[in-house]
Amino acid sequence: MTFKIPSPTPDPSRIRAAAAALDCPAELLPAAVAAFTGAATPEPGPARDLLRAAFAVVDRVPRHEIGTGDLTIAAQDWPALSVTVPVTPWQAATLVDRFVDLLRPLTVHRLREVAAGLGVEAGALVHRLQNAEDQDSRGEPDVSAGWAGRTLHEALAAGPDWTAALRVWTLAVPELAAEDPANWPLVFEDVLRGAVLEMLAQAADGLLRASRFTPASLEWVADGKGFTAHQPVSASSHGLQARLQPAHPKGPLLPGWDRPVWPADGTSWTPPREAWRWEVGWPLPDGTFQGQAGYCATEPSRALARFAAEQTIAELLPGARGLRQSFTGRLLVPRRQPLTGDDPAMRVVTLRSLLLGASRADPDDAAPTRAQAWQRIAENISLPAPCPPESAAADERTLQQLLHFLAVQAVVLTPPAHRYLSGLDHHAAPLSMDHRHARGLRRAMEPATAQEAEQLEADLGPLPPGTEWTDLLDPALLEAFLDARP
């Protein structure tokens, strides 16, 4: 599927915007949105007509009034209001109420026709049957209900035994579905309406997603594992990178749950399933890709995964200069000029932060070199650490090379942190972390001037009465001091 960038001209129609994004005529949106979201292709007739009516309901919804998935969440909980964090917008519940209005006039026979055209799956009905609060039936099932009627009573009698009732409902759904809709128990009709309602909400969410965002236009290249795309970023040597890779789709809880209740060919047709993982990030100097935490997900179609990756890159580009990798702390755009106080990406590191990083280092770790010691501390508090082929990653590098690397990454050490690092970094050869930490701590806790003492207090807070900074060279006293600070 090829995405087109919607026209910048403001157009309140979400239908036209989605049709432009998915590159299809508006009248073919039901099938295009289904392919986009990984849903079964809706059959021509009542199913597609109902989807078009649902799309008309959300056609003029403002672009940022509700978020991705809000309609689906509201439909899953209808008629109750969703309890979510963050709170689901009330507009989502209002729109779902309008979807319910579309379903109310449907006779039970037309409801079955719509459900068949949408490809309602057995698992959706089993799940809703299991969780239905009101498990009444229209009186006693008549003789024509046969085995289905008996399994209905058996499921109702299972009561609190969740697994037993689940197995019974799984067996009951195909039997109930095969009956004349006029003989359906009320609970079955209700859950079927609920399942159709959720499918309408999912399709509408897909339309809103396609029409809300303007993805970046990327060129995807097959790489043997999936697809990769690069987005140049000014002053960055590598830019942003997006990756798509096939993933294992989430399987059904029980066999047969992913099959349509009413297969299109009347046999055992199963809708094709796929899953694609997308992630956005950029590589480390050695070429290893580093994804950004929070900028990855698994989607039910390659089209949706691609769209999500391109949308994410479009959102990141305006703030690319201040973007840091989540775990390494490295900047996407390194600094080439001296740091200024108005640099929004500047990170000031205190002695307290370095002590926290050192405390998290593995005490059983082999004696690290100068370069390895910084890496141990940095990775514990998400500070940048040089890596090959950068010269600052070499064991023979100097403290000034490390400080220059940190300045390039918009990281500044406070004077006490600088003094601690100079002691920690003094010995180039392998040395235990405890010894390095003791060297750094003595250099920081023995202020040579009143100014250095003031800097220590600014970094760590005031000393308890009757205490000297050198008292904190005792590990137990230092730990108690740091823990006591609010």
Side-chain angles (χ1 to χ4, degrees):
M1 178 179 291
T2 301
F3 298 106
K4 288 188 176 180
I5 304 302
S7 168
T9 303
D11 184 348
S13 173
R14 303 294 286 268
I15 289 176
R16 285 193 291 271
L22 300 179
D23 193 21
C24 73
E27 59 270 17
L28 299 182
L29 263 180
V33 170
F36 178 58
T37 60
T41 302
E43 294 292 323
R48 292 199 186 186
D49 291 343
L50 189 61
L51 284 174
R52 291 190 186 96
F55 291 168
V57 168
V58 299
D59 185 42
R60 301 291 171 142
V61 173
R63 293 297 169 95
H64 298 284
E65 188 168 89
I66 60 176
T68 300
D70 283 340
L71 294 176
T72 301
I73 292 172
Q76 290 171 341
D77 294 335
W78 191 91
L81 293 176
S82 301
V83 179
T84 59
V85 178
V87 176
T88 303
W90 63 266
Q91 292 92 337
T94 300
L95 292 170
V96 169
D97 283 341
R98 294 183 61 186
F99 294 161
V100 172
D101 291 339
L102 296 176
L103 294 175
R104 280 201 177 98
L106 299 183
T107 65
V108 69
H109 291 85
R110 179 54 63 94
L111 177 65
R112 179 193 182 282
E113 188 177 358
V114 167
L118 292 176
V120 170
E121 296 177 354
L125 300 186
V126 173
H127 175 74
R128 285 181 171 273
L129 282 166
Q130 176 66 22
N131 291 286
E133 294 182 2
D134 182 12
Q135 307 241 330
D136 293 346
S137 63
R138 284 197 187 96
E140 293 294 323
D142 61 19
V143 176
S144 64
W147 186 84
R150 292 194 297 275
T151 55
L152 173 62
H153 284 304
E154 184 181 344
L156 292 172
D161 189 341
W162 188 84
T163 55
L166 199 64
R167 288 192 295 268
V168 174
W169 282 124
T170 302
L171 295 173
V173 163
E175 292 290 334
L176 289 165
E179 292 297 324
D180 185 332
N183 294 328
W184 283 348
L186 180 59
V187 65
F188 189 75
E189 179 184 340
D190 288 344
V191 299
L192 183 57
R193 287 186 187 274
V196 171
L197 175 65
E198 186 173 341
M199 294 186 76
L200 293 183
Q202 290 171 342
D205 269 330
L207 180 139
L208 293 180
R209 187 172 183 180
S211 63
R212 176 180 180 180
F213 300 106
T214 301
S217 181
L218 302 181
E219 182 177 345
W220 293 88
V221 178
D223 58 12
K225 296 181 180 179
F227 298 87
T228 301
H230 297 272
Q231 172 64 52
V233 174
S234 177
S236 172
S237 60
H238 36 67
L240 286 166
Q241 182 174 317
R243 298 168 57 150
L244 303 180
Q245 292 185 348
H248 293 293
K250 187 177 181 180
L253 182 61
L254 291 176
W257 273 31
D258 57 346
R259 296 177 181 272
V261 179
W262 296 278
D265 60 3
T267 59
S268 58
W269 174 81
T270 301
R273 287 189 176 274
E274 63 174 353
W276 284 80
R277 180 77 175 174
W278 67 269
E279 54 183 341
V280 168
W282 62 92
L284 297 174
D286 63 1
T288 305
F289 178 79
Q290 178 71 44
Q292 278 287 81
Y295 295 106
C296 59
T298 299
E299 307 286 0
S301 74
R302 193 176 92 183
L304 188 51
R306 173 182 168 179
F307 182 88
E310 293 181 343
Q311 165 218 322
T312 298
I313 285 186
E315 289 181 338
L316 293 177
L317 282 175
R321 180 172 167 78
L323 192 60
R324 289 188 184 275
Q325 286 181 337
S326 302
F327 300 113
T328 71
R330 298 179 70 102
L331 285 172
L332 172 63
V333 182
R335 301 304 186 251
R336 299 177 181 176
Q337 301 295 330
L339 289 173
T340 60
D342 61 352
D343 189 326
M346 180 183 292
R347 183 172 176 184
V348 178
V349 179
T350 65
L351 175 59
R352 178 178 287 271
S353 295
L354 294 188
L355 294 178
L356 179 62
S359 70
R360 293 174 176 173
D362 187 352
D364 298 327
D365 197 3
T369 62
R370 167 188 284 159
Q372 291 170 338
W374 173 254
Q375 186 176 18
R376 302 293 190 273
I377 291 177
E379 67 187 6
N380 287 331
I381 50 178
S382 297
L383 282 178
C387 59
E390 293 170 311
S391 60
D395 288 333
E396 63 272 15
R397 61 110 174 106
T398 65
L399 176 61
Q400 287 306 313
Q401 285 178 295
L402 175 60
L403 293 175
H404 174 72
F405 165 81
L406 292 176
V408 167
Q409 297 295 326
V411 173
V412 176
L413 302 180
T414 62
H418 185 287
R419 291 193 290 272
Y420 174 82
L421 180 58
S422 68
L424 181 97
D425 205 60
H426 179 72
H427 202 281
L431 187 68
S432 74
M433 199 66 190
D434 284 346
H435 280 80
R436 289 188 178 277
H437 171 66
R439 281 173 172 265
L441 200 59
R442 181 166 294 280
R443 177 66 186 88
M445 294 299 179
E446 294 181 341
T449 66
Q451 183 183 16
E452 288 189 0
E454 290 175 357
Q455 292 167 343
L456 264 176
E457 184 169 339
D459 251 26
L460 299 178
L463 282 168
T467 305
E468 300 293 336
W469 287 112
T470 52
D471 292 338
L472 300 184
L473 295 175
D474 183 302
L477 291 178
L478 175 64
E479 183 178 359
F481 171 75
L482 295 176
D483 289 343
R485 185 184 177 189

